[in-house]
């Protein structure tokens, strides 16, 4: 079983093909970095796998389950490339809200534990909208890992960060 397997996965917007016939196999335990210029189609590819958009053609499976599937969504964690969702909620409420939206139930303790693991425990009750970029990235990682998923997608985890913050996020 592969963690990710795609077969001829493609996405077009109108007449423009953005992702063209990707065949990929990612082993369980493997960390895969996806590099490409701006507009290359990285987010589009990830968004197909995480169920945000539908492929135009081709197929994929995650953790051995044919996608897109609601069943597998509970076993994956996603850090999206945008921060517009952070809104006016505190870091803790933000985590609970987003987990709820994707059908996952998380306890208060899980929220506190995951915020500690990314170094945001002192900011748990602060509004995320006021966070710095690196704090938002940390919250994005917390959001992706809070339910102990088997597979994690991180879109642009270090974009916009200074060198020091980049190393911190990588660690
Ligand atoms: N919903 C959409 N409708 C039309 N075109 C889109 C849509 N989403 C993405 N595109 C186009 O598809 C192409 C790939 O975009 P995508 O965001 O996947 O690239 P990327 O590799 O993630 O880029 P970046 O490094 O800027 O994040 C771009 O030309 C973009 O304008
Ligand atoms: Mg992108």
């Amino acid at each position: 079983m592969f963690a990710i397997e795609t077969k001829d996965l493609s996405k077009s917007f109108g007449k423009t093909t953005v992702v063209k016939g990707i065949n990929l196999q990612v082993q369980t335990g493997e960390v895969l970095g996806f590099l490409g210029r701006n507009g290359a189609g990285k987010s589009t590819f990830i968004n197909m796998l995480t169920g945000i958009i539908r492929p135009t053609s081709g197929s994929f499976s995650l953790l051995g389950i044919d996608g897109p599937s609601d069943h597998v969504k509970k076993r994956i964690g996603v850090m999206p490339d945008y921060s517009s969702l952070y809104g006016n909620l505190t870091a803790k409420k933000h985590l609970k809200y987003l987990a709820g939206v994707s059908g996952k139930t998380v306890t208060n303790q899980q929220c506190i534990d995951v915020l500690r693991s990314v170094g945001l425990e002192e900011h748990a009750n602060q509004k995320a909208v006021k966070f710095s970029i690196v704090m938002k990235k940390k919250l994005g990682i917390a959001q992706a890992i809070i339910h102990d998923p088997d597979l994690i997608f991180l879109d642009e985890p270090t974009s916009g960060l200074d060198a020091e913050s980049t190393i911190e996020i990588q660690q």
Side-chain angles (χ1 to χ4, degrees):
M1 184 195 81
F2 294 103
I4 303 173
E5 185 169 28
T6 72
K7 290 182 182 156
D8 282 325
L9 197 63
S10 302
K11 180 70 185 179
S12 302
F13 295 109
K15 285 180 183 167
T16 312
T17 302
V18 170
V19 175
K20 192 174 178 184
I22 303 280
N23 291 288
L24 184 74
Q25 291 176 332
V26 182
Q27 305 279 353
T28 305
E30 189 177 344
V31 177
L32 179 80
F34 221 47
L35 303 179
R37 58 174 170 74
N38 293 137
K42 305 178 295 293
S43 295
T44 302
F45 183 69
I46 291 177
N47 290 344
M48 286 194 277
L49 300 183
T50 57
I52 293 170
I53 57 172
R54 285 195 167 265
T56 307
S57 61
S59 62
F60 68 90
S61 66
L62 304 179
L63 305 166
I65 301 166
D66 288 343
S69 132
D70 284 341
H71 178 58
V72 84
K73 275 187 190 171
K74 291 184 183 171
R75 294 179 57 198
I76 67 173
V78 184
M79 174 186 182
D81 65 342
Y82 53 84
S83 56
S84 55
L85 271 178
Y86 292 108
N88 223 14
L89 301 174
T90 66
K92 203 164 79 184
K93 283 186 179 161
H94 172 87
L95 288 178
K96 277 207 153 176
Y97 172 72
L98 280 183
V101 165
S102 35
K104 300 153 192 155
T105 314
V106 294
T107 62
N108 228 19
Q109 193 58 46
Q110 272 175 297
C111 290
I112 292 165
D113 288 346
V114 80
L115 287 171
R116 185 180 303 118
S117 76
V118 297
L120 282 180
E121 69 274 31
E122 284 166 21
H123 307 283
N125 295 312
Q126 287 173 10
K127 287 186 177 175
V129 74
K130 293 180 183 163
F131 279 6
S132 68
I133 297 176
V134 70
M135 288 164 77
K136 285 182 180 175
K137 296 285 188 192
K138 287 176 179 177
L139 187 57
I141 292 172
Q143 166 201 319
I145 64 175
I146 188 167
H147 55 300
D148 197 19
D150 296 313
L151 178 61
I152 302 170
F153 295 90
L154 306 176
D155 195 349
E156 306 283 3
T158 59
S159 65
L161 299 182
D162 60 47
E164 206 172 300
S165 299
T166 299
I167 291 168
E168 200 187 344
I169 290 289
Q170 285 166 348
Q171 285 169 341

